Amino acid sequence: MGEVLTMLVLSFFGALSPLVSVIVNVTLLALITIPIVNWAVIRPMKKTLHDFEFAKHTIAVREDQILAVLYDLAMTADDETSGHIMRTQQYVSLLANRLKSMVPNAQTLTDENIELLVKVAPLHDLGKVNIPDHILGKEAPFSDIEKELMYSHPMIGESILATFQSEGFEMDLISTAIKVAGSHHEKWDGSGYPRNLQGEDIPIEARIMSVADVFDALISRRSYKDGWSIEEAYNEIINGSGTAFDPLVVQAFIAERKAFEAIASKD
């Protein structure tokens, strides 16, 4: 288009020497083409980039709002204190990043996926919000009915999170949260619940959450038990490698032992 307009304008100059013709041609082409490119390409591109950044900001704000609501709900569901939620979140970050360095090409352990996992880790026991307090705080062993209710909390957590997913909220965030809430009580050998998943059929996010959750549960004092020593809890996780836990996650746990101890000793 710029070249056509240039030729039309040059026709008004009459005969020109070759050098002058080239100079005028280049000058006119620049004067005509630059505004056209700015109008047809640069301005729309700037608007697209602006719209993209605005959309990212909107998603981030919406994501924070969703998490704030779910975090509050999870806090009411936790059968100990908010300390368990915050500690396990830190443990998950340690394990996930260590695994990323151990398996650098793992597609499920990208920086973006790890960030999502750490964000949703506090929601792992969200389903306990629907378990009666007298069961959560019971000091005696559970009856069969009470045990069945407790074992239902992963599915309850999934159901709560699925309602947010169906409303069109951030899909990756909620999908990761569903994996964590629904599968963190599965065991590597298939003896866990609620679906008796085995090995790598268990989402890696849940396998990471499982080690973090069990370690903190063991060292924490609960209504039905005293807290274990860090050494006892450490040995329990090691002994569960290949049965309760993914052996690779246990290797990451061993590598991060000192960092785990530092977090645990803060409370």
Side-chain angles (χ1 to χ4, degrees):
M1 183 183 296
E3 186 63 34
V4 170
L5 291 174
T6 300
M7 294 301 296
L8 288 174
V9 173
L10 279 174
S11 65
F12 291 102
F13 285 88
L16 297 172
S17 68
L19 178 59
V20 173
S21 178
V22 170
I23 294 173
V24 173
N25 185 49
V26 171
T27 302
L28 289 175
L29 187 60
L31 291 174
I32 294 171
T33 304
I34 290 174
I36 292 174
V37 170
N38 182 61
W39 173 76
V41 179
I42 296 177
R43 288 180 62 186
M45 186 179 293
K46 285 183 177 180
K47 184 179 185 305
T48 300
L49 290 173
H50 176 270
D51 291 345
F52 177 70
E53 290 300 323
F54 180 76
K56 283 177 59 179
H57 174 72
T58 301
I59 291 172
V61 170
R62 183 174 64 179
E63 186 178 279
D64 288 343
Q65 291 171 340
I66 296 171
L67 287 173
V69 171
L70 292 174
Y71 284 172
D72 285 345
L73 191 59
M75 291 293 185
T76 66
D78 182 42
D79 58 342
E80 186 213 14
T81 65
S82 61
H84 170 70
I85 288 176
M86 304 315 296
R87 286 190 302 272
T88 51
Q89 185 178 40
Q90 294 176 72
Y91 297 146
V92 162
S93 179
L94 290 172
L95 291 173
N97 282 288
R98 172 63 68 169
L99 282 168
K100 182 175 182 290
S101 68
M102 293 166 59
V103 191
N105 295 322
Q107 295 181 350
T108 53
L109 291 173
T110 63
D111 289 339
E112 293 78 9
N113 288 346
I114 290 175
E115 182 180 358
L116 286 176
L117 172 58
V118 173
K119 282 183 177 181
V120 303
L123 307 179
H124 64 280
D125 276 337
L126 181 64
K128 286 184 178 179
V129 72
N130 206 38
I131 306 299
D133 289 343
H134 74 273
I135 295 179
L136 291 176
K138 187 176 181 180
E139 298 183 9
F142 292 139
S143 66
D144 289 342
I145 294 177
E146 291 169 338
K147 185 181 296 184
E148 186 175 345
L149 278 173
M150 279 296 294
Y151 282 11
S152 72
H153 81 266
M155 299 295 288
I156 295 171
E158 279 191 4
S159 298
I160 294 171
L161 291 163
T163 62
F164 286 86
Q165 192 175 48
S166 64
E167 292 296 326
F169 289 111
E170 174 58 42
M171 298 297 286
D172 289 341
L173 179 79
I174 300 301
S175 294
T176 304
I178 287 174
K179 292 175 185 177
V180 169
S183 301
H184 71 285
H185 281 295
E186 301 288 359
K187 293 185 178 180
W188 186 254
D189 63 2
S191 63
Y193 64 91
R195 296 183 177 92
N196 302 117
L197 298 179
Q198 184 175 7
E200 293 187 0
D201 288 339
I202 306 168
I204 183 62
E205 296 89 347
R207 285 179 261 154
I208 292 170
M209 187 74 243
S210 177
V211 170
D213 185 39
V214 171
F215 174 79
D216 196 74
L218 291 174
I219 65 172
S220 299
R221 185 183 184 283
R222 299 294 174 88
S223 58
Y224 52 87
K225 74 173 187 70
D226 291 328
W228 291 20
S229 70
I230 289 178
E231 186 67 25
E232 290 172 327
Y234 177 82
N235 289 331
E236 184 72 10
I237 298 294
I238 303 303
N239 292 335
S241 178
T243 53
F245 311 114
D246 178 347
L248 193 60
V249 179
V250 174
Q251 288 182 36
F253 170 73
I254 293 171
E256 293 291 342
R257 175 173 180 171
K258 289 185 178 180
F260 266 68
E261 291 182 356
I263 293 169
S265 65
K266 290 179 181 178
D267 293 335

